[in-house]
Amino acid sequence: MAGSPSHSSGLRALRPEAFGADPGGERMARIRRSPHFKDGVFQNPGGTARIRPSGSTRDLAKIYLDKDSRSRRAPKGTIPVHPTTLADLSRPPASGLRLTWMGHSSVLAEIDGHRVLFDPVWGERCSPFPFAGPKRLHPAPLPLAALGPVDVVVISHDHYDHLDLPTIKALAGTDTLFAVPLGVGAHLERWGVSAGRLRELDWHETTKIGGLALTATPARHFCGRGLRNTQHTLWASWVAAGEEHRIYHSGDTGYFDGFKDIGTDHGPFDATMIQVGAYSDFWPDIHMTPEEGVRAHLDLQGGEAAGVLLPIHWGTFNLAPHAWAEPGEWMKDAAGEVGQPVAFPRPGEPFEPAGKVPVEAWWRAISGPIARPWHRPRITEGAAETSKGDLDLAGER
């Protein structure tokens, strides 16, 4: 027994810092009390979700190694990054709500006098190692320090493309607060964030930061950073509600019926930030296609085409077999068919959902071919049933 603490400390010392830390003590006790924790792991809404690729490893490897497929998964030219400056972001939004997509799932939301930074990733790779793993396809639009003061950093889950060690360590040196799903606080504490700056929530729990209410809401995904995926940290989507505005950030999620419940409880929203990239037939339960992203937005809005949808989780990292431009192009098609306004900012381009929304398909100038034409045929009344079925199937390919 006397040697156990030393052995345990030695193992911790060998563990890469980027792996973070496993929950323990009172944090683990709270996890065990969660109604969403069963049989030793956190559970997805609606039952088990397949978190490992389905189909054969050979087929998946064939797609990833195919020369033509690899070529399509990256832009053909330089991604146009908007030259955002601190001066741009220091002016309060005229409407009270402004969003700045920094790439992937990172969004600075300025809402009713509060500044919220969702899933900030400023690192070069979404990986535990600086020399390997998916590398950024465009630089961060501006240095992290140039954002100015941030009231709260919101993390959706602990995967490397959402919880970035160098970014968190830089933010740990500020006085910002952190709102995270249950269990994720263990990682942040290891990286220098004090317990007093953490707001660690289970699904349906709310924390108030000034006049802003942040609520962790369900998502259909999974967690894990180390060699063992213990499923002891929760994943979440988030609602941010100010005095005048409401916004929603999906984090990573597959489509599920719970979007309707989130909309009923917390909507409607002035804007939603919806994950629409890194989908595949190999993992249909844990990421959404653009068509599913539109459906999720409509569910959140009570079935109406309302508010502004900002597609996230695409364009910055190569994480799936689909063509680089496909999420943007298919989202433009799917949203256009139902009349849903969608914002397509360049990385770093601020916009106000109540003002002029960027809609230019900027990716076309640097995109290779995708699997279907830029625009799908419109559905005609006489062929509505057949065409709708065909289009739905096309969207899942």
Side-chain angles (χ1 to χ4, degrees):
M1 288 296 291
S4 296
S6 176
H7 179 68
S8 176
S9 299
L11 289 177
R12 282 198 298 271
L14 291 173
R15 178 178 175 136
E17 185 181 22
F19 282 9
D22 293 328
E26 175 52 35
R27 179 176 278 118
M28 193 63 217
R30 186 180 168 204
I31 287 170
R32 292 193 180 101
R33 293 194 298 269
S34 168
H36 311 110
F37 192 78
K38 182 181 178 183
D39 298 329
V41 296
F42 278 113
Q43 304 288 323
N44 266 300
T48 303
R50 288 171 289 173
I51 63 174
R52 297 187 182 278
S54 60
S56 74
T57 303
R58 180 180 178 181
D59 288 344
L60 182 59
K62 185 177 179 181
I63 290 174
Y64 270 97
L65 296 175
D66 178 76
K67 183 178 179 181
D68 291 338
S69 174
R70 280 186 299 171
S71 175
R72 288 194 296 271
R73 296 201 302 271
K76 301 298 183 184
T78 302
I79 295 174
V81 175
H82 185 80
T84 311
T85 66
L86 177 59
D88 295 327
L89 299 176
S90 64
R91 290 188 293 270
S95 65
L97 176 63
R98 180 167 60 206
L99 302 178
T100 307
W101 179 52
M102 299 295 176
H104 202 57
S105 294
S106 303
V107 181
L108 175 66
E110 298 165 275
I111 172 171
D112 297 338
H114 298 83
R115 306 180 92 235
V116 184
L117 187 57
F118 290 97
D119 283 358
V121 174
W122 259 252
E124 278 299 304
R125 296 183 186 271
C126 49
S127 164
F129 309 109
F131 53 84
K135 192 175 182 180
R136 299 184 71 96
L137 299 174
H138 66 80
L142 74 169
L144 189 61
L147 287 180
V150 172
D151 295 299
V152 59
V153 173
V154 176
I155 302 297
S156 64
H157 63 296
D158 69 0
H159 286 160
Y160 290 96
D161 57 324
H162 297 260
L163 181 61
D164 180 53
L165 169 63
T167 304
I168 297 300
K169 292 192 79 170
L171 290 165
T174 71
D175 58 0
T176 187
L177 301 176
F178 292 81
V180 302
L182 189 54
V184 174
H187 299 312
L188 273 64
E189 285 191 26
R190 185 183 181 196
W191 299 337
V193 178
S194 64
R197 290 165 58 194
L198 290 173
R199 306 292 184 268
E200 201 163 345
L201 307 185
D202 201 346
W203 290 342
H204 309 298
E205 291 182 342
T206 299
T207 187
K208 293 291 290 286
I209 295 173
L212 187 72
L214 290 168
T215 303
T217 46
R220 188 169 171 80
H221 200 58
F222 68 110
C223 65
R225 293 181 72 86
L227 299 177
R228 295 182 304 120
N229 184 358
T230 59
Q231 294 292 83
H232 286 173
T233 61
L234 189 58
W235 48 96
S237 57
W238 288 87
V239 171
E243 294 180 0
E244 301 291 336
H245 297 90
R246 290 173 176 266
I247 57 177
Y248 171 85
H249 189 285
S250 72
D252 276 1
T253 181
Y255 179 81
F256 69 113
D257 289 341
F259 292 115
K260 297 175 183 177
D261 297 329
I262 295 171
T264 298
D265 293 341
H266 302 283
F269 299 98
D270 298 279
T272 67
M273 297 157 273
I274 303 288
Q275 172 262 303
V276 298
Y279 50 83
S280 172
D281 288 343
F282 287 98
W283 48 82
D285 294 348
I286 55 173
H287 283 292
M288 291 191 291
T289 66
E291 287 85 352
E292 289 171 327
V294 171
R295 196 186 317 162
H297 174 89
L298 297 178
D299 287 351
L300 290 162
Q301 302 290 52
E304 300 292 330
V308 173
L309 192 167
L310 172 62
I312 60 173
H313 203 266
W314 76 286
T316 302
F317 295 106
N318 179 352
L319 301 176
H322 61 66
W324 171 75
E326 197 175 272
E329 198 58 50
W330 287 17
M331 169 57 72
K332 199 169 185 68
D333 283 350
E337 287 175 354
V338 298
Q340 171 58 48
V342 179
F344 291 109
R346 291 164 174 78
E349 181 179 4
F351 73 95
E352 298 190 32
K356 184 178 180 181
V357 175
V359 296
E360 180 188 351
W362 52 265
W363 55 87
R364 289 181 181 167
I366 53 172
S367 169
I370 61 172
R372 68 181 181 216
W374 294 124
H375 294 285
R376 297 185 288 184
R378 295 293 177 187
I379 301 173
T380 61
E381 267 191 46
E385 292 300 317
T386 302
S387 298
K388 182 65 167 65
D390 292 343
L391 292 175
D392 284 345
L393 288 173
E396 298 299 324
R397 284 200 292 268

